[in-house]
Structure formats: C-alpha cells, structure tokens
C-alpha cells in the first residue's frame, strides 16, 4: 500500500510593529563579521528590508502569549532596524515583515539560517557590478551602495570584461581567480583565449607567465624612452597602455612601440635644435650610445661657469645645515623620516651645483661636436666637446678651417637646423635561426663576439685592480717580442695601448658594472693628472710606487682584447683563425691569473643577451647544467620565445655561464693545436659552419660593425 506523502505547512508571515520585537538569546551568532551593523542599516535605508525576520511569540509562565515576539534568526537585521529607530530615521511602531515560527528549537532555526546561506560566486558579483555600471551608476556610486572602495569596483569591472569563454572556464573551476586576474591585463579577448589555450595545454599556467605572454610585444613604462617623453605625452598622442589592477605594474605596458620611438626621436631632435644654437659643428643623437663611442676623439677642456655670490652663499648654507643634521643625529640608530628626507634634498641640491655648464673656446666649438642620448633614468644626457681627427687636421689648413667656421656661422644664423646630425636608434639583436634537430649547433659568431666583449671589459677591470699581474703580463709580452723572433703574434694584451673596439655589442654593455667601474677609475686618474702633457713627467715622478703601479695597471688594462672576431670579407687581412685561437687561449691564462668571475662582474643570462639568441637545445642544456634534468623537463615543451623567458627565470641566481664566458681551468686547453690550422674551440664550430653563418649575416650590419 502506497504511503501518503506528508504535506508541508509553511509558517505564516505577519507585519509586526518594531516596538513589539526583542532580540532572542537563542541566536547562535555571537561573533560578528563582514558588513557592519551601520552598513546594513544604510542598505535597509536605501532598499528597505529585503529579508523577513524569523520570530517566535513570547509567552508568560502559564504559556499565554504576551503580545511580544523574540527574534532568534535575523539578529543583525534587528540591530540595524534598532539603529535606524535611534537615529529617528524610522518610527518605532514601523511594521516589520516577519515569519512567525511555532514548534521546533529556536537555536536550531538560527543555526540553519546561517549554515544554509550560500555566498555569491565571485563571477556573479563581477557581472552584477557590470550590470549596475551599464545601468548608469558610476564606479563611486556602486562603491558607496555596496560598501567597497572605488578601486575594488574597478577591479571587479575589469574582471567582468575578460572573455566570456574564460568566465565559463573559471565558473567550472578550470582556472583560479589569480589566473583570471592575470588575463585582465589586456582587453583583447582573442589574445586572451589564445594564451589560455597555450598555457592550459602545456600546464605552464602560472599567473606571472600569463601576464608575460600577454605583454611580450609591449614596452614597459619604466623604459628609459618612456621616462624621457613622459607617459602623458604618449597617451595624448593616442598611444594605449595596458594596466594591471591587481599587481604592481610600474606604470603599465605601452602597446604602440612605433609611436613611442617617433615621439622619442622628435623630442631628441628638438633638444638638438636648441643645442645647435651654441655653434657646434655636429650633433650625434641616439637613444643609447655604445661603449667606447668617444674613443679616438679629442675631448675639449672646458671651464665651469663661475658661481655667483648668491649661489656660493646657498652652497655654504646647505653644507652647514648638512653638517649640523649629521652631528645632531650621529648617535641615532635610525634617522627620522623628515631628517632623512631633508638630507636627501640637500645632497641633490649640492650635486646640482656641481653639475654646472661648461664654457668652451669658441674657436674650438666650431670644429667640435656633441653626443645627445638618454641615460638609464630617462633623463637627457648631453656630452659636449669632442673633436674628430679629421676636424683637428682641418685646423692646420686655413681654407678647410675657414669653411668649417662659415658653415657653423650659417647654422647659428638660421637657428633652426642641426648641422651634420646623425640619428641612430639602435635596434634589437638579430634572431637565431631555429634548429631543434641539431642539439650541438655552434653558437652564432655575433653572439660569441658580444659575449667576449663583455668578458674583455670585465677582464680589463680585473687586470686594472691587480698591478702585479699587469706588470707580469706586460713583461711577458715584451720578452716575447725582444727575445723570441718566431713567437706567435696575436696575444690578448695589445701593447702600445691601442684600445681595440668591439665589432658587435649587446644592449646595456655601456652601463654594465665593468664599464661603470672602468669609467669611474679613468675619471679619477684624469682628475689627478696635469692638464699639460709637458708637466706629466714630473707629476708621475711625484707618485709613490703604489700609485704608479695602479696607474700602470689601469693603462695596461685598455690594451686587453679577448674578443672573438669571425673572419669575413672586411677583416680577412687582419683576423686569422690561428690569431683568434692564440688570443682566446692567452685570455684564459690572464683570466685565471686575475681570478676573473663573470658572475661577480654582473653578467647573468637573459633573453636579450643569450637565451633568445640560441637554439632550443642550447637553452635546455643551460637549464639542465644549472638546475638539473627536472627543471629542463618543465620547459622542454614550450615554444622558443616562451622557453627563453622561462629559462631566464630558472637560471636567475644560478651562476651559470655560457662557454665563452667560462674560465678554463689550468692544464685544460680550450684549443686543439694538432696543426697550425687545427680545429677551432668547440663552441666556435667548424669552418664550414662559419662560412654558412657569414652568408646569413646582413651586409649592412657588417658595414656598421666595421
């Protein structure tokens, strides 16, 4: 016999005056959290009560109803209504919608009401905010109505703008909230979906990797070019910027690289026009000049503009204030913020006084030039007063000199053009042709040249700090020349102080730690030496032995040449395979002697200087050597560009170096000298590979290098 289904009877609802309600002690919520009572009261004032109170009749000792009702479920709503009554925003006799409960256990009802409440899914909140925005509410209005900050509303609206396909994946727990946040960097739904397809298939889907892939063809706002023109100027010109509302993005990413470069060039040209009015013969412009760009040029001796009495008084006052602050807080463990800030301001002001304009001889200006570029902080860098050898020669020819003066004067009269201005915006390094099948493919010639240029600079710096080794190295070279008629030429120390140039340079070489150290040391010695060469002998004689040795080591270091130069049609008469082998072998000897450490010198593998320039097997080999096979397997399925970026992260801090930067241990030759024309070092490849590589070289790049 079928059992009859018991019918459910719902509790009746009534409107009960608020002054007939009391808070029940049976409410299980004792610890409050989330939205405050004040915020809930404001919500009720805006929207009225959206959910009825659950009440029970209060009875006397005999079990008779007293006309009062207690609230075991809905206590926070009761307290919010109570607050509105106290604020006289609601009458105490206001009817309140209530569900009158009979039977059961009051505590059970209170617990069930709270336990069975399901919170809103984040995606529903994002979409709800988007609906409110579409209804005309501003971000500030939405924030005020839902008790969050406008920044939170911006974030929620940004998440709501992500591709609907990715929303569906997130709703089904196919991705985390952090991953969804990463996709909000760009509004391009197609690109978002492409990246998700790639990372979800590979399993390499960390949020930072997603952000990196979405911004790989952009320029960071911290780039020197952006700092130079200003982000506002770029945006006013119509450039778009990607912003990350969930992570620190240092100003975001600029999408229109061509627009950025055009604005930079225009501003550099405008600055050059102003400098041209000073009468210089030529001005050379670049975003960044390569290391050694002033080699072979004569630098003019300028005189700083004299300080005015007011400026000198200001300097004296700043020095006195600085001395007093340092004296007052000399025993303090930590400076107060205000004092620390003031000392920084004083130091900046004093530095500004030191960086005064220089006055040059007008007769020298008409045949000298200026280098204009952007420094690493995005500021304009103007380096005046360099004379080219051909312009020095023209000074001895009255006709040539007169022509130069005339040309300069014409330029000054016009005041709107730059004479002989060369604008050179450096491009990126050429890509290496992919060859996954050849795991032992040699390194490209240009890359080896760039790497060994870094090594040469570091070796110069190291040698300059080892006077005894520098003396020994020079002595070794002298003895070879004087006593061994058939000694092989082409050593790495080119005595005669002919400073070799680098035929190819990686980005950032000029600002590397080694370059900075060499330049600082050179400027320090330059300040100690007399202006006239006629006084040089007496000045050197006045130095003690230690100073002479240090100066000798510094000068000798400029002759170091440990750069690999591939033979091509431009240097066949100057570069031979045997000469390169000898040079690199002796460079290893010298590197061991000065204990050269390229890691300590500041070099570390990156996409720009190595990983993006070699084949995938080379990248995997580097990760395998530094971090082990398990780390290599993490990235072996990625495409070349993604693999290089992830390898850069994995190799960070590992101290790994490519073969051209390693110091060969003593007793282990980097060369195989089976015959005069023996094979090249392993990392250089075979002669046939060299010829094939040269065929791929861009003739214009070779012209520029030469």
């Amino acid at each position: 016999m079928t059992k009859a289904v018991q019918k459910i009877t719902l509790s009746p609802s009534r409107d009960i005056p608020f002054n007939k309600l009391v808070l029940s002690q049976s409410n299980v919520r004792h610890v409050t959290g989330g939205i405050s009572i004040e915020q809930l009261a404001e919500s009720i004032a805006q929207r009225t009560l959206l959910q009825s109170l659950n009440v029970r009749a209060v009875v006397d000792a005999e079990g008779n109803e007293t006309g009062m009702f207690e609230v075991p479920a809905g206590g926070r709503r009761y307290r919010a209504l109570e607050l509105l009554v106290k604020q006289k925003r609601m009458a105490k006799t206001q009817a309140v919608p209530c569900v009158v409960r009979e039977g059961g256990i009051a505590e059970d009802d209170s617990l069930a009401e709270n336990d069975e409440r399901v919170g809103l899914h984040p995606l529903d909140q994002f979409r709800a905010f988007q609906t409110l925005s579409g209804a005309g509410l501003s971000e500030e209005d939405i924030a005020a109505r839902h008790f969050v900050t406008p920044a939170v509303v911006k974030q929620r609206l940004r998440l709501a703008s992500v591709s609907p396909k990715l929303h569906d994946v997130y709703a089904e727990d196919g991705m985390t909230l952090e991953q969804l946040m990463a996709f909000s960097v760009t509004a391009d739904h197609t690109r978002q979906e492409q990246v998700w397809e790639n990372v979800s298939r590979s399993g390499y889907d960390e949020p930072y990797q997603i952000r990196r892939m979405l911004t790989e063809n952009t320029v960071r706002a911290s780039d020197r070019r952006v700092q130079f023109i200003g982000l506002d100027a770029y945006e006013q010109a119509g450039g778009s910027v990607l912003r990350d509302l969930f992570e620190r993005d240092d100003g975001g990413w600029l999408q229109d690289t061509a627009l950025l470069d055009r604005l930079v060039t225009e501003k550099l040209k405008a600055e050059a026009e102003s400098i041209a009015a000073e009468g210089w013969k030529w001005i050379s412009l670049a975003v960044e000049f390569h290391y050694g760009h002033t080699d072979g040029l004569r630098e003019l001796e300028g005189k700083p503009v004299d300080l005015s009495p007011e400026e000198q008084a200001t300097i004296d006052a700043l020095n006195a204030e600085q001395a007093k602050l340092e004296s007052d807080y000399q025993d303090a463990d930590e400076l107060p913020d205000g004092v620390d800030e003031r000392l920084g301001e004083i130091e900046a002001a004093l530095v500004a006084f030191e960086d005064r304009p220089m006055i040059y001889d007008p007769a020298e200006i008409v045949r000298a030039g200026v280098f204009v570029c952007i420094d690493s902080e995005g500021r304009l860098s103007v380096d005046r007063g360099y004379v080219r050898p051909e312009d020095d020669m023209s000074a001895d020819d009255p006709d040539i000199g007169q022509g130069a003066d005339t040309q300069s004067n014409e330029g000054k009269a016009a005041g709107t053009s730059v004479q002989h201005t060369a604008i050179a915006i450096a491009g990126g390094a050429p890509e290496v042709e992919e060859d996954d099948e050849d795991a032992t493919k040699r390194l490209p010639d240009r890359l080896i040249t760039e790497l060994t240029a870094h090594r040469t600079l570091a070796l110069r710096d190291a040698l300059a700090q080892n006077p005894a080794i520098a003396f020994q190295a020079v002595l070794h070279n002298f003895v070879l020349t004087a006593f061994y008629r058939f000694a092989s030429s082409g050593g790495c120390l080119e005595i005669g102080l002919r400073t070799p140039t680098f035929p190819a340079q990686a980005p950032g070489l000029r600002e590397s730690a080694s370059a900075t150290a060499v330049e600082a040391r050179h400027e320090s010695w330059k300040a100690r030496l007399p202006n006239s060469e006629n006084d040089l002998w007496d000045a050197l004689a006045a130095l003690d032995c230690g100073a002479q040795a240090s100066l000798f080591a510094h000068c000798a270091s400029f002759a170091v040449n440990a750069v690999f130069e591939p033979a091509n049609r431009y240097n066949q008469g100057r570069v031979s395979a045997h000469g390169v082998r000898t040079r690199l072998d002796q460079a290893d000897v010298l590197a061991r002697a000065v204990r050269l450490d390229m890691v300590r010198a500041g070099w570390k593998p990156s996409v720009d200087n190595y990983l993006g320039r070699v084949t995938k097997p080379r990248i995997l080999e580097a990760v395998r050597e530094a971090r082990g096979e398990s780390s290599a397997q993490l990235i072996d399925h990625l495409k070349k560009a993604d693999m290089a970026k992830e390898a850069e992260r994995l190799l960070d801090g590992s101290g790994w170096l490519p073969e051209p930067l390693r110091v060969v241990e003593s007793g282990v030759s980097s060369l195989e000298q089976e015959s005069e024309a023996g094979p090249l070092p392993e990392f250089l490849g075979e002669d046939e590979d060299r010829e094939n590589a040269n065929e791929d070289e861009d003739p214009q790049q070779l012209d520029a290098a030469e």
Side-chain angles (χ1 to χ4, degrees), residues 584-632:
L584 298 179
D585 200 28
Q586 291 191 14
D588 282 332
V589 175
L590 190 58
R592 289 196 299 271
V594 298
R595 298 181 180 179
L596 178 67
D597 185 346
M598 288 301 299
V599 176
R600 189 173 298 175
W603 194 94
K604 59 181 180 179
S606 68
V607 173
D608 292 333
N609 67 16
Y610 184 81
L611 298 168
R613 313 281 300 285
V614 297
T615 61
K616 291 174 65 174
R618 282 278 185 183
I619 299 175
L620 293 173
E621 180 184 2
V623 174
R624 190 176 294 111
E625 290 181 1
R627 298 300 189 189
E629 180 62 34
S630 59
S631 296

Side-chain angles (χ1 to χ4, degrees), residues 299 301 518-532 536 539-540 543 551 554:
E299 185 176 1
E301 292 291 340
V518 171
E519 183 177 359
R521 188 183 304 107
H522 189 74
E523 291 301 319
S524 176
W525 275 114
K526 183 177 179 181
R528 295 180 60 179
L529 297 175
N531 293 329
S532 173
L536 181 59
L540 294 177
L543 297 176
L551 179 57
H554 173 68

Side-chain angles (χ1 to χ4, degrees), residues 12-16 21 52-55 96-100:
S13 61
R14 291 174 54 185
D15 288 342
I16 302 174
L21 302 174
S52 301
L53 301 182
N54 185 289
V55 301
V96 178
C98 299
V99 174
V100 182

